[in-house]
Amino acid sequence: MTTHSTSASSRWSGPYLAVDGRPFLVVGAEVHNSSSSTPSAIADSFAAVRALGANTVLAPVAWDLFEPVEGHFDHTLVDAMIKQAQQLGMRLIPLWFGAYKNAVSTYAPGWVKTDSERFPRTQVADGQRIEQLTPFAPAARAADARAFGALMRRIHDVDTAGTVLAVQVENEMGLLGDSRDRSPLANAAFIADVPPGVIEAVATDTNMPLHQVWVDAGSRAEGAWSEVFGSGERVDEAFMAAAYAAYTEEVASAGASEHDVPLFVNAWLDHDSVLDGPVAVAGGKRPGQYPSGGPVMPVAAIWEAMAPTVDFLAPDMYIEDAEPVMAAYRARRGRLLIPELRADARGLAQMFSAIGTHQALGVSPFGVDVLRSDEPVGAALSDAYQLLRAAAVLIRQHAIAPVVGFELNAAQPSLSIDLGGSVLQVDTHSEWGPAPEYPGYGLAFEADGGVYVIGRGFWITLRGETGQEVSFLQADQYRLQGEQLVLSHRLNGDETSGGTLVPFPFAGAPLLPGRVIPTRIPDSGITHIRTYSY
Ligand code: DGJ
């Protein structure tokens, strides 16, 4: 085994990943599960997300394709992914689909799948075996870790340009169909002593639901699971979280000793069920309805204690009420990446909020390699990518995070941004423009003596503090050209309704109806505003 050292500080720049010592905002796109399964699929899907405007591609590396024969690693696909991303000027975040992919083990190689003796299965109620390798089997863990180590070694050897920014370990781990594994190995672990790290995590994290359960059971410092915690779904969930996290730690540390980039795990969230047609793709209220033991908030402290090599936990965002979830994940390790989210209008608004309000290091809508920018969903995503890459330029140039991000909708059609002295009033209604389109979204940075506002679907007017009149000193519109912001218009006169507002319409706004003078509202969506008082 080789050890490569990179100082920890060089990986991060504030809440962001560091690239060449400066913050890099991941404006990401996760391709579909099978879109990196052949060299031609990689070429097509990577080109598609580049054409939409992403700066980073997230793509699976499947264990069965990487190690088709035990001990023989096929580098074809990972090499192609790195090369393709590099040629297209994108960064890459490989997703290691090892033994766990959405609570099943369908990406394990054939030699693992067909040897249940050596690689036993998880069992749920009534002893039913499911297509998941039990995390309690040492052989599966060791094999998965060895393969992940080989992947990271290959990345280390091939990726001399630093195209790979981070790596996801496994995918949406957890158990569906029961709250805990009931295989013989799992049952043996359940009557063995609780790992001390778990007890310490539960004792320390007073907010986790299991904390009170532990207190009620006598705040014991050692003992078997039922002695320390009693019984119930929350105990089962913690038991599975400890097992999956310990498994992940073995895999992650085998990789980390080969190549030093941030590692993370992603979570299928515990929330209201989200259906995609008849299939649940996220949510579920109880452990086992959502993957029990996955890296969700009720057991985040256990994950962090048992998998210290994992840098942060990341939520896959298919739910409506994203704000509290983003805040909770961001609060734990000071890092927020949304590796999967929706690419519709709801998802776009969530991306702005993640980056603006929660200083996310990145966002990445899922499955967008099938979108085209000449269709409405693809066009809107492509526009949002442009705006977020403009935000990436500002973050990188100024090494600052946005001061605010916002979504505007029927419940919140306007808001105020207080910027020391003047108040930016952000409204979706204006007599000047068309009817509001929801959601509107945006974010704001204080820089260069004013504020950059980036977004769609609103108007900005100004208010002064009591007794003061404020107005625009200047309102400069920018466009993204390559990785540069270039001045496109200096707004004034009619375009600001006589100096009273700055517009942020949706892209491609039509001519305003009923006007004597042909009027199309300037729509770059990126404006630097300076104000003054008189
Ligand atoms: C979440 C998973 O992590 C993805 O790989 C994908 O399967 C999506 N769900 C869509 O179903």
Side-chain angles (χ1 to χ4, degrees):
M1 189 183 290
T2 42
T3 316
H4 309 286
S5 68
T6 307
S7 75
S9 60
S10 69
R11 306 155 112 224
W12 300 105
S13 181
Y16 300 105
L17 294 168
V19 169
D20 303 326
R22 311 238 8 125
F24 181 90
L25 178 70
V26 171
V27 181
E30 181 165 333
V31 299
H32 274 284
N33 292 164
S34 308
S35 296
S36 51
S37 58
T38 63
S40 64
I42 291 167
D44 291 349
S45 63
F46 283 27
V49 301
R50 185 51 173 153
L52 287 170
N55 69 13
T56 304
V57 57
L58 283 71
V61 177
W63 183 12
D64 58 341
L65 305 180
F66 185 65
E67 193 183 4
V69 177
E70 185 169 7
H72 294 272
F73 301 105
D74 184 343
H75 299 134
T76 312
L77 297 175
V78 64
D79 288 3
M81 286 164 64
I82 293 171
K83 188 169 165 207
Q84 200 66 32
Q86 207 177 327
Q87 277 177 355
L88 290 165
M90 284 192 295
R91 305 283 167 163
L92 172 67
I93 298 185
L95 317 170
W96 173 242
F97 284 12
Y100 297 98
K101 188 331 184 158
N102 291 66
V104 285
S105 298
T106 58
Y107 283 85
W111 54 269
V112 173
K113 280 179 175 164
T114 53
D115 190 348
S116 302
E117 192 84 11
R118 198 170 144 210
F119 303 108
R121 301 305 169 103
T122 297
Q123 284 175 235
V124 293
D126 300 330
Q128 191 204 333
R129 290 186 302 138
I130 61 168
E131 199 178 7
Q132 186 194 82
L133 302 176
T134 171
F136 297 94
R141 204 181 313 168
D144 198 341
R146 188 175 60 158
F148 187 64
L151 171 66
M152 294 292 274
R153 191 178 324 129
R154 185 64 180 178
I155 293 171
H156 185 84
D157 292 345
V158 172
D159 184 28
T160 47
T163 298
V164 172
L165 292 181
V167 180
Q168 179 184 295
V169 189
E170 311 291 337
N171 190 81
E172 292 192 351
M173 294 179 96
L175 173 62
L176 287 171
D178 202 344
S179 51
R180 84 161 173 91
D181 183 357
R182 297 174 197 280
S183 66
L185 284 170
N187 289 341
F190 199 68
I191 55 172
D193 275 0
V194 179
V198 171
I199 299 180
E200 203 184 316
V202 175
T204 311
D205 193 327
T206 54
N207 289 325
M208 66 188 291
L210 199 60
H211 177 80
Q212 195 53 46
V213 175
W214 171 74
V215 171
D216 293 345
S219 304
R220 293 180 60 141
E222 58 182 10
W225 284 84
S226 57
E227 290 166 346
V228 175
F229 297 115
S231 61
E233 280 176 355
R234 285 284 169 218
V235 180
D236 291 352
E237 181 184 31
F239 172 69
M240 293 311 295
Y244 290 123
Y247 182 108
T248 303
E249 177 60 18
E250 191 165 328
V251 175
S253 58
S257 65
E258 298 293 346
H259 189 51
D260 183 21
V261 289
L263 300 176
F264 65 95
V265 291
N266 62 332
W268 165 319
L269 292 176
D270 50 333
H271 219 273
D272 294 331
S273 290
V274 179
L275 300 178
D276 190 25
V279 182
V281 289
K285 285 286 196 192
R286 296 168 51 187
Q289 291 174 341
Y290 65 85
S292 180
V296 290
M297 276 304 122
V299 289
I302 294 176
W303 265 89
E304 288 167 2
M306 301 299 284
T309 302
V310 170
D311 290 271
F312 60 91
L313 316 177
D316 287 347
M317 193 61 69
Y318 293 98
I319 62 171
E320 296 279 331
D321 190 16
E323 289 303 308
V325 178
M326 295 197 284
Y329 275 83
R330 170 71 161 83
R332 290 214 70 93
R333 287 275 174 93
R335 318 267 173 224
L336 180 65
L337 169 69
I338 317 278
E340 295 182 34
L341 81 162
R342 293 157 48 163
D344 57 6
R346 168 117 308 275
L348 303 191
Q350 288 175 346
M351 294 203 286
F352 279 77
S353 171
I355 290 168
T357 305
H358 305 281
Q359 284 80 46
L361 67 89
V363 289
S364 170
F366 177 80
V368 296
D369 51 311
V370 298
L371 294 179
R372 292 177 10 191
S373 55
D374 59 356
E375 294 167 342
V377 177
L381 176 63
S382 190
D383 176 62
Y385 275 154
Q386 285 283 322
L387 299 186
L388 295 180
R389 281 193 14 243
V393 169
L394 293 173
I395 288 171
R396 199 159 166 75
Q397 269 174 3
H398 297 276
I400 49 162
V403 285
V404 67
F406 50 87
E407 173 183 336
L408 299 158
N409 49 41
Q412 183 185 254
S414 63
L415 66 101
S416 303
I417 305 174
D418 206 334
L419 289 170
S422 47
V423 177
L424 265 53
Q425 181 63 34
V426 183
D427 290 299
T428 45
H429 289 270
S430 162
E431 286 167 10
W432 204 65
E437 231 180 281
Y438 293 134
Y441 37 80
L443 43 84
F445 293 88
E446 275 182 291
D448 296 332
V451 56
Y452 286 93
V453 179
I454 298 178
R456 293 288 181 210
F458 54 89
W459 311 81
I460 287 186
T461 52
L462 299 177
R463 269 194 286 124
E465 284 171 352
T466 319
Q468 282 210 317
E469 300 300 330
V470 286
S471 191
F472 296 101
L473 191 59
Q474 72 187 53
D476 291 346
Q477 257 199 355
Y478 288 84
R479 282 191 187 282
L480 186 70
Q481 238 173 48
E483 296 307 314
Q484 301 257 323
L485 287 181
V486 294
L487 187 63
S488 73
H489 292 82
R490 311 202 79 168
L491 300 184
N492 207 334
D494 292 352
E495 283 67 58
T496 59
S497 194
T500 59
L501 56 77
V502 175
F504 291 80
F506 281 92
L511 281 176
L512 289 183
R515 297 294 169 106
V516 179
I517 298 166
T519 305
R520 198 188 299 279
I521 306 170
D523 70 351
S524 93
I526 308 162
T527 302
H528 184 244
I529 294 168
R530 289 171 63 201
T531 63
Y532 78 108
S533 54
Y534 56 94

